[in-house]
Amino acid sequence: MYEALLFLHSWVRWLVLLFGLWALLRPEARPGAFFAHTLTLQVGLGVLLAFVSPFFQGLLSAMGEAMRAGGEARFFVAEHWVGGLVALGLAHAGLAQARRQKPRARLLFALALLALLLSIPWFRPLLRL
C-alpha cells in the first residue's frame, strides 16, 4: 500500500503543477477548480501516505531530533506538509476569487504555486515507475 500511495502522490504532483500553471495563466473558475481540487487530492494522498510510511512514522516519534538534524528529515517533518497545506488554502482562496471574477485570483494562484514549488522534494526521484 505504501508503494502505491507513493507512486500516486509522486505522479499527481505533475497534474497539480500543470493545473496550477493553467490557473495562473487563466485565473478563471474552471482552471482554478481543477487546480484546487487536484491539490486537495494530492494533500489527501499525502496524509494517507504519512500514516503508512515507515519513514514518516519513525520521524514523528523523534520529531525534536529530526528538527535538529535538519536535511531530509526536517524537510519531511516540517516544510513539506506545511507548504502543501499553505498552498491548499491559497489555491482554494484563489478559486473563490476566480468564481467572483476578482483580479486577486491570479496572485493567490501564484502564491500557491510558489508554496508548492518550495515544498516539492526535488532531491527525490521526479518520476517513480
Side-chain angles (χ1 to χ4, degrees):
M1 181 162 183
Y2 167 71
E3 291 295 328
L5 284 173
L6 187 60
F7 175 83
L8 282 172
H9 190 65
S10 176
W11 279 87
V12 170
R13 144 185 51 192
W14 299 109
L15 287 175
V16 170
L17 290 174
L18 180 71
F19 289 140
L21 285 173
W22 185 30
L24 182 62
L25 295 174
R26 295 190 54 154
E28 300 164 359
R30 184 175 171 90
F34 272 91
F35 178 43
H37 297 314
T38 308
L39 184 53
T40 301
L41 171 65
Q42 179 72 339
V43 169
L45 288 170
V47 169
L48 288 174
L49 190 57
F51 280 109
V52 298
S53 169
F55 177 71
F56 193 75
Q57 293 300 315
L59 288 176
L60 285 181
S61 64
M63 187 178 289
E65 182 61 34
M67 294 298 284
R68 281 189 292 282
E72 188 173 336
R74 178 187 167 135
F75 179 80
F76 284 107
V77 166
E79 288 100 1
H80 185 63
W81 68 270
V82 170
L85 289 175
V86 167
L88 182 64
L90 289 167
H92 277 281
L95 174 58
Q97 294 299 304
R99 286 182 174 153
R100 292 178 182 87
Q101 299 176 343
K102 302 277 182 161
R104 280 175 266 179
R106 186 181 307 262
L107 173 63
L108 291 166
F109 290 142
L111 291 173
L113 268 173
L114 178 63
L116 283 175
L117 290 172
L118 293 173
S119 302
I120 292 176
W122 297 108
F123 52 87
R124 287 281 181 101
L126 297 179
L127 295 173
R128 293 189 180 273
L129 302 172

